[in-house]
């Protein structure tokens, strides 16, 4: 089977899975809504905000011209859906679900790239200090009550990207950035920023709760504007990364080899690092630090689809989306809301260990 | 095996000439040298953009020498303030196999990295296939030079086929699909290196020899006119070493130019058309293997004594390294002992720095154990067996190779009389006597007769005088040898050479089989580890 076929198959399969998870998740909560109703609501709503016709819905008789994209609820397909259910799904649950999907997508993408970049399956998206950077920005905004354009998210994003860049500069000498140095510089800077965060926490006073909530990783209170922001930021970097999937494969052989095979090693490394950092920063700035997704999902998918990034990158991204939607559903469906990071770890780790035992231990 | 990839290649590109081995990049330069070889710079710089001008005529051979595949002019490289390459100038003709030899740290790998563009020289010019590789993009350079690395640590388990396909990277655009010619190149490369059967196996799970072939396949898939190999035979068993180099020779026969850093001097001598001997970042010698591998050159480069002869089977130059001890004024000593009589002499002489051989001894004899402990080149026969003809021949060869032969205060019987007869041929002989011979002769008149000959030729010493007498005789031997070799030069002159090459002193015996210490045995049993016991145990 050619690489393209495999990539397509996995991507389609995992997209289908994501759709199922989204529909199931939207029905789960304080008020249970049957999947069929959810599907109807989604089918109803989907053409409107996105402005494209939906494959599943066009089978139904469509009368008259398609409504303009500004319309929200006046959809041509009037399913008999109770209004409360519609509001719960579209205004309360869907933003959060889509945000989870986008954050999971971003973290898994960045994790895959970082693991390839560092040639180490234990690397994760925040290995160059992106998460710590974002946390410092966000916590500083809360504690010092700063008012910045784009608010806390903006501050988190900017400080995350700046941190990654600083780590890169520290590790670079004479136009070369040894991966090992980068790793160590990332660890050192993360430790330093950890101290800064602790210090800010001590100063936080009244806002301590808010800060801790942010630090634990949060998807509650997601808004459509956050969803829109991520949906706007992510596609370009993702396409860029997929376009470099082959280079990433060759980089896995080591930098000397990659050079001998015609890769402009340092330039490619810069591009991969910058792009992956932006992707991570975007996710972290809206959701806080959600660990484990970027570490475990790429690894799990590598065990399933193999190391070829042309297949692995899209598969991992889509699986990450499904994974975070599912775990966030668990996090919010209990009596009291659990931070989603706790759930990702609790659910991800055992599954990861299972895969490790069954797949990796068997082959020496 | 060699043919199928050629037609496949020829029809895939269509526009390309049948000279598939040399991709387009070198064509303007190789065309023009007849008229303007110094001005090749200007046509060369715009050539990488034009991918397939099928102007290259396969028979530009007349100018092959005028415009070599690789030309290094006064190339110097410093890394971390240390000069790794110092004014290196090398020309490699098209379609030749050149071996880079030299001690560890001589700059072989650095030279390869300069050639593939990974390392820019501080001074000097590098031209590969008519191109200034350092002016090219990494991608364009990788269409000119392919590199087979010494080791590749693959953390992720790509199938072998995927690794070979990565060799096509320099030929593919970012959004270009997998083309027919990519497929043909990969198929041909895999067939050539016989890794087709491994195609679906993870590269992390194949053996070392197989992985080496996979890496060569990857380089072949690059379809470059020049192939560089860094220690292609290191960490391979002897079968895979030979197969790997045979493969490279075949490729060279088909027109590829290959440069390989090779540790094993004998393999290098056998397979390479020419050798470049590097030492301390300089070219010590270059050219025909027989000329480069002179005992003098080896001494200077490796700071080790070696004997150069012709291999009886292959006819190639054959280098046998001697242990470092024989480097100074010490020399080789053969000890005839038995039953523990020789052990003391062996230990003394070993401590004094002589290269030792011993025997023939019965397996299990105290002296045999002692000889093993001091690392002597030991001739043995099975327990309770007499010294047979083969063992005697082995002893004779060692006696002849030795500067001094020592016969210990040994008890002589019919079984080991042959040892004494062999020792009687020695040029310089020392007899250690503690007991009168009559007390330890069990061989009757024959024994007396042989021992009388020994006494006539040799010097009889007390155990305490052994070292001083042996030292004296060894000096005589050295003087004689040096005088015979290059007239006026004496022992002191020789050690001057050692001083100039002292940077490489940390690797005294860098040729392959350091324990094959026997000079004469180069003709007979060098492939084994030099211990003649192999002759008997098999």
């Amino acid at each position: 089977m050619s690489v393209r076929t495999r990539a397509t198959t996995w991507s389609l399969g995992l997209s289908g899975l994501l759709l199922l998870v989204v529909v199931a998740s939207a029905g789960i909560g304080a008020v249970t809504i049957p999947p069929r109703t959810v599907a109807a609501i989604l089918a109803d709503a989907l053409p409107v905000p996105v402005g494209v016709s939906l494959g599943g819905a066009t089978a139904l008789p469509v009368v008259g011209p398609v409504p303009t994209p500004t319309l929200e609820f006046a959809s041509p397909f009037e399913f008999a859906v109770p209004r409360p259910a519609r509001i719960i799904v579209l205004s309360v649950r869907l933003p959060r679900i889509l945000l989870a999907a986008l954050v999971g997508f971003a973290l898994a993408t960045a994790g895959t790239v970082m693991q390839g970049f560092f040639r180490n399956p234990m690397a994760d998206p925040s290995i160059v200090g992106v998460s710590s950077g974002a946390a410092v920005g966000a916590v500083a905004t809360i504690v010092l009550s700063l008012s910045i354009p784009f608010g806390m998210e903006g501050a988190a994003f900017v400080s995350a990207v700046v941190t990654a860049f600083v780590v890169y500069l520290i590790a670079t000498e004479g136009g070369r950035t040894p991966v090992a140095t980068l790793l160590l510089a990332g660890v050192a800077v993360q430790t330093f920023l950890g101290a800064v965060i602790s210090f800010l926490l001590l100063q936080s006073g009244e806002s301590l709760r808010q800060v801790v909530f942010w630090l634990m990783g949060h998807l509650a209170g997601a808004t459509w504007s956050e969803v829109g922001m991520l949906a706007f930021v992510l596609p370009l970097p993702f396409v860029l990364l997929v376009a470099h999937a082959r280079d990433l494969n060759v980089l896995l052989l080591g930098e000397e080899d990659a050079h001998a095979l015609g890769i402009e090693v340092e330039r490619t490394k810069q591009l991969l690092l910058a792009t992956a950092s932006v992707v991570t920063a975007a996710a972290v700035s809206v959701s806080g630090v959600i660990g484990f997704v970027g570490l475990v999902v790429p690894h799990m998918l590598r065990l399933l689809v193999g190391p070829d990034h042309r297949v692995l990158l899209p598969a991992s991204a889509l699986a990450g989306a499904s994974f975070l939607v599912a775990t966030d559903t668990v996090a919010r469906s209990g009596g009291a809301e659990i931070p989603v990071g706790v759930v990702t770890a609790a659910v991800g780790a055992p599954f990861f260990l299972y895969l490790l035992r069954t797949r990796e231990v068997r082959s020496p | 095996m060699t043919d199928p990839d050629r037609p496949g290649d020829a029809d895939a590109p269509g526009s390309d000439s049948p000279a598939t081995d040399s991709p387009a990049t070198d064509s303007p330069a190789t065309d023009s040298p007849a008229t303007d070889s110094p001005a090749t710079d200007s046509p060369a710089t715009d050539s990488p953009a034009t991918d397939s001008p099928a102007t290259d005529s396969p028979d530009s051979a007349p100018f092959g020498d005028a415009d070599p595949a690789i030309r290094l002019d006064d190339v110097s490289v410093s890394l971390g303030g240390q000069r790794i390459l110092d004014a290196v100038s090398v020309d490699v003709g098209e379609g030749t196999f050149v071996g880079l030899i030299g001690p560890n740290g001589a700059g072989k790998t650095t030279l390869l990295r300069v050639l593939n563009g990974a390392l820019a020289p501080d001074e000097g010019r590098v031209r590969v296939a008519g191109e200034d590789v350092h002016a090219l993009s990494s991608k364009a350079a990788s269409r000119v030079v392919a590199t087979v690395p010494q080791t590749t640590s693959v953390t992720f388990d790509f199938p072998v086929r995927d690794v070979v396909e990565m060799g096509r990277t320099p030929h593919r655009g970012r959004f270009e699909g997998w083309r027919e010619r990519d497929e043909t190149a990969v198929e041909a490369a895999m067939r050539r290196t016989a890794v087709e059967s491994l195609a679906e196996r993870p590269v992390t799970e194949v053996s070392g020899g197989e992985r080496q072939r996979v890496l060569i396949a990857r380089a072949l898939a690059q379809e470059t006119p020049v192939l560089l190999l860094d220690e292609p035979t290191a960490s391979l068993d002897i079968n895979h070493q030979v197969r790997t180099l045979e493969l490279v020779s075949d490729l060279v026969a088909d027109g590829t130019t290959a440069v390989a850093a090779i540790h094993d001097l004998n393999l290098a001598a056998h397979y390479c058309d020419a050798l470049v001997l590097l030492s301390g970042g300089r070219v010590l010698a270059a050219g025909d293997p027989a000329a480069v591998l002179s005992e003098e050159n080896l001494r200077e480069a490796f700071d080790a004594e070696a004997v150069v002869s012709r291999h009886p089977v292959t006819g190639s130059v054959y280098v046998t390294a001697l242990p470092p001890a024989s480097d100074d004024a010490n020399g080789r000593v053969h000890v005839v002992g038995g039953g523990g009589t020789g052990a003391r002499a062996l230990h003394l002489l070993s401590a004094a720095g002589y290269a030792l051989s011993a025997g023939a001894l019965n397996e299990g004899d105290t002296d045999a154990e002692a000889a093993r402990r001091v690392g002597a080149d030991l001739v043995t026969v099975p327990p309770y067996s007499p010294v047979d003809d083969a063992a005697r021949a082995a002893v004779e060869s060692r006696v002849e190779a030795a500067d001094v032969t020592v016969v210990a205060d040994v008890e002589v019987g019919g079984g080991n009389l042959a040892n004494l007869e062999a020792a009687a041929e020695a040029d310089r002989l020392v007899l250690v006597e503690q007991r009168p011979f009559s007390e330890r002769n069990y061989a009757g008149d024959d024994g007396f007769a042989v021992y009388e000959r020994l006494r006539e030729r040799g010097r009889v010493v007390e155990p305490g005088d052994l070292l001083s007498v042996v030292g004296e005789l060894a000096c005589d031997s050295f003087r004689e040898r040096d005088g015979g070799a290059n007239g006026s030069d004496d022992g002191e002159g020789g050690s001057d050479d050692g001083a100039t090459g002292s940077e490489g002193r940390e690797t005294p015996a860098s040729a392959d089989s350091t324990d094959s210490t026997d000079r004469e045995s180069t003709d007979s049993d060098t492939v084994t580890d030099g211990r003649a016991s192999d002759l008997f145990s098999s």
Side-chain angles (χ1 to χ4, degrees):
Chain A
M1 204 170 8
S2 84
V3 170
R4 204 164 277 187
T5 326
R6 284 205 304 138
T8 316
T9 314
W10 277 101
S11 300
L12 285 179
L14 288 166
S15 301
L17 177 70
L18 178 60
L19 195 64
L20 287 179
V21 171
V22 166
V23 169
S25 172
I28 297 172
V31 178
T32 306
I33 302 168
R36 184 174 298 178
T37 316
V38 175
I41 295 168
L42 293 182
D44 241 4
L46 227 145
V48 182
V50 185
V52 291
S53 58
L54 187 69
T58 41
L60 297 163
V62 182
V63 187
V66 176
T68 56
T70 48
L71 291 181
E72 291 241 331
F73 300 115
S75 167
F77 336 119
E78 281 297 341
F79 295 110
V81 176
R83 197 176 144 76
R86 190 184 292 272
I87 291 172
I88 288 172
V89 169
L90 291 180
S91 307
V92 180
R93 291 184 190 162
L94 203 54
R96 180 169 180 164
I97 290 168
L98 290 185
L99 193 66
L102 287 168
V103 168
F105 188 94
L107 291 177
T109 302
T112 310
V113 172
M114 290 297 190
Q115 287 177 5
F117 182 92
F118 284 96
R119 263 165 275 146
N120 186 338
M122 284 300 151
D124 79 351
S126 27
I127 196 159
V128 289
V130 178
S131 293
S132 305
V136 168
V139 172
T141 320
I142 299 169
V143 172
L144 308 174
S145 312
L146 303 174
S147 61
I148 310 174
F150 302 107
M152 197 177 68
E153 281 92 1
F157 183 80
V158 170
S159 63
V161 172
V162 167
T163 306
F165 190 62
V166 167
V167 168
Y168 170 78
L169 285 186
I170 292 173
T172 303
E173 202 188 319
R176 294 180 72 89
T177 317
V179 164
T181 318
L182 194 61
L183 189 76
L184 292 176
V187 170
V189 168
Q190 278 186 65
T191 312
F192 175 75
L193 294 180
V196 173
I197 293 166
S198 300
F199 179 76
L200 287 173
L201 275 175
L202 285 175
Q203 313 298 316
S204 58
E206 293 290 292
S207 49
L208 179 64
R209 226 186 113 78
Q210 204 191 341
V211 172
V212 172
F213 176 73
W214 194 93
L215 285 178
M216 280 194 179
H218 56 90
L219 289 161
T223 62
W224 277 110
S225 77
E226 284 174 328
V227 173
M229 195 196 101
L230 268 193
F232 174 75
V233 172
L234 287 184
L236 184 65
F238 182 72
V239 168
L240 203 58
L241 290 175
V242 170
H244 281 79
R246 244 189 313 146
D247 306 47
L248 201 48
N249 285 347
V250 178
L251 267 182
L252 286 184
L253 302 178
E255 293 179 15
E256 276 292 310
D257 283 25
H259 174 86
L261 291 171
I263 304 289
E264 300 286 354
V265 173
E266 291 302 326
R267 211 175 63 199
T268 309
K269 275 163 66 186
Q270 283 167 5
L271 182 134
L272 291 174
L273 194 64
T275 314
S277 295
V278 165
V279 168
T280 313
V284 174
S285 61
V286 298
S287 68
V289 184
I290 300 175
F292 225 63
V293 181
L295 172 67
V296 170
V297 173
H299 204 138
M300 288 194 299
L301 268 290
R302 190 173 291 112
L303 293 177
L304 290 174
V305 308
D308 191 331
H309 285 93
R310 289 169 291 179
V311 187
L312 178 62
L313 201 53
S316 185
L318 289 165
S322 300
F323 179 76
L324 199 56
V325 171
T327 46
D328 185 50
T329 309
V330 175
R332 69 182 164 79
S333 60
E337 164 119 16
I338 313 166
V340 67
V342 175
V343 183
T344 54
V347 175
F351 185 51
F352 181 56
L353 290 175
Y354 164 76
L355 278 180
L356 211 61
R357 293 292 302 177
T358 51
R359 296 292 301 271
E360 292 218 320
V361 176
R362 232 184 325 130
S363 55
Chain B
M1 283 316 260
T2 61
D3 277 332
D5 57 323
R6 307 196 125 245
D9 261 312
D11 53 44
S15 63
D16 245 338
S17 72
T20 50
D21 278 329
S22 50
T25 36
D26 61 332
S27 44
T30 45
D31 266 358
S32 52
T35 54
D36 55 353
S37 52
T40 41
D41 257 331
S42 43
T45 40
D46 56 3
S47 61
T50 61
D51 202 273
S52 56
T55 44
D56 200 6
S57 75
D59 290 314
S60 54
F63 307 112
D65 284 10
D67 189 48
I70 296 173
R71 168 163 280 172
L72 291 161
D73 276 334
D74 276 332
V75 169
S76 297
V77 174
S78 295
L79 290 176
Q82 219 180 349
R83 189 145 268 219
I84 309 294
L85 291 179
D86 193 4
V88 169
S89 297
V90 174
D91 278 4
V92 177
E94 205 178 311
T96 52
F97 184 4
V98 171
L100 289 179
I101 56 172
N104 295 331
K108 303 188 293 282
T109 301
T110 307
L111 188 57
L112 291 179
R113 295 185 65 207
V114 166
L115 287 177
N116 75 10
L119 203 62
D122 300 326
E123 290 160 40
R125 297 191 338 140
V126 182
R127 298 189 73 78
V128 179
E131 303 276 358
D132 179 357
V133 279
H134 297 281
L136 297 179
S137 70
S138 172
K139 200 164 187 168
S142 307
R143 289 192 292 253
V144 180
V145 187
T147 310
V148 179
Q150 183 176 358
T151 50
T152 281
S153 56
V154 190
T155 326
F156 297 104
D157 49 353
F158 283 100
V160 162
R161 200 193 150 85
D162 285 18
V163 174
V164 179
E165 284 181 2
M166 287 182 198
R168 296 303 296 169
T169 309
H171 293 278
R172 299 175 67 188
R174 183 163 305 288
F175 298 104
E176 213 162 5
W178 189 247
R179 294 156 304 175
E180 188 70 36
R181 58 179 296 186
D182 296 321
E183 185 66 24
T184 343
V186 167
E187 293 289 334
M190 292 182 64
R191 201 172 332 113
R192 195 81 199 245
T193 50
V195 295
E196 300 141 298
S197 58
L198 308 172
E200 303 307 322
R201 300 226 346 242
V203 72
T204 43
E205 286 173 24
V206 300
S207 74
E210 289 166 341
R211 187 173 313 174
Q212 185 71 46
R213 296 212 305 274
V214 172
L215 293 177
I216 294 176
R218 192 185 78 189
L220 292 187
Q222 283 178 252
E223 294 186 313
T224 56
V226 176
L227 184 65
L228 307 178
L229 303 101
D230 192 3
E231 301 286 357
T233 55
S235 76
L236 295 186
D237 64 44
I238 190 159
N239 170 34
H240 284 105
Q241 287 181 354
V242 169
R243 284 174 62 177
T244 301
L245 292 175
E246 288 285 346
L247 174 62
V248 176
S249 300
D250 284 353
L251 294 168
V252 169
D254 289 351
T256 307
T257 307
V259 178
I262 301 181
H263 245 343
D264 190 312
L265 301 179
N266 296 318
L267 287 174
H270 185 60
Y271 285 101
C272 297
D273 302 315
L275 296 180
V276 174
L277 174 59
L278 286 174
S279 176
R282 293 176 156 275
V283 176
L284 203 62
D288 184 61
V292 171
L293 291 177
S294 72
E295 287 171 19
E296 240 176 293
N297 283 339
L298 293 175
R299 190 183 310 123
E300 191 172 341
F302 293 96
D303 194 20
E305 286 299 319
V307 174
V308 179
S309 55
R310 285 276 167 185
H311 193 278
V313 179
T314 62
S316 304
V317 179
Y318 199 88
V319 177
T320 308
L322 301 178
S326 61
D327 188 44
D328 6 22
N330 288 341
R332 294 181 65 79
V333 178
H334 183 82
V335 176
V336 174
T341 54
R344 185 175 172 277
L346 283 166
H347 282 295
L348 268 180
L349 293 167
S350 164
Y354 292 97
L356 294 174
S357 54
L361 292 163
N362 288 107
E363 205 58 81
D365 188 289
T366 334
D367 281 351
E369 298 310 312
R372 287 224 169 83
R373 261 200 301 283
V374 300
D377 178 11
L378 176 62
V379 180
T380 57
V381 291
Y384 308 112
S385 306
V387 176
D388 55 17
D389 288 341
R392 178 178 171 156
V395 172
E396 276 168 356
S397 75
R398 279 155 184 77
V399 166
E400 197 183 331
D403 296 296
V404 181
T405 299
V406 173
V407 176
D409 189 51
V410 66
E411 298 185 337
V412 177
N416 66 354
L417 193 61
N419 282 343
L420 271 64
E421 283 166 357
E425 304 296 319
D427 294 330
R428 279 161 295 276
L429 185 65
V430 179
L431 306 177
V432 182
E433 276 194 13
Q434 289 169 282
R435 298 169 282 176
F437 185 70
S438 52
E439 280 181 31
R440 46 192 172 96
N441 179 24
Y442 302 94
D445 289 341
D446 287 349
F448 283 113
V450 172
Y451 201 75
E452 205 43 47
R453 263 166 62 207
L454 290 180
R455 287 191 75 124
E456 277 165 22
R457 303 192 42 138
R459 282 173 60 176
V460 179
V461 298
E462 296 282 308
D465 299 331
L466 176 66
L467 269 188
S468 58
V469 173
V470 168
E472 222 173 90
L473 292 176
C475 277
D476 290 351
S477 163
F478 265 64
R479 210 162 293 139
E480 254 177 62
R481 216 192 302 156
D482 272 2
N486 40 6
S488 63
D489 223 353
D490 60 23
E492 310 310 298
S495 66
D496 266 352
D497 287 346
T500 52
S502 64
E503 296 137 33
R505 196 171 274 278
E506 66 265 24
T507 59
S510 32
D512 53 331
S513 46
T514 44
D515 48 349
S516 100
T517 53
D518 185 3
R519 230 176 269 200
E520 279 316 294
S521 65
T522 43
D523 294 332
S524 53
D525 54 358
T526 31
V527 188
T528 71
D529 64 355
R531 296 184 199 288
S533 54
D534 288 1
L535 291 174
F536 309 101
S537 59
S538 59

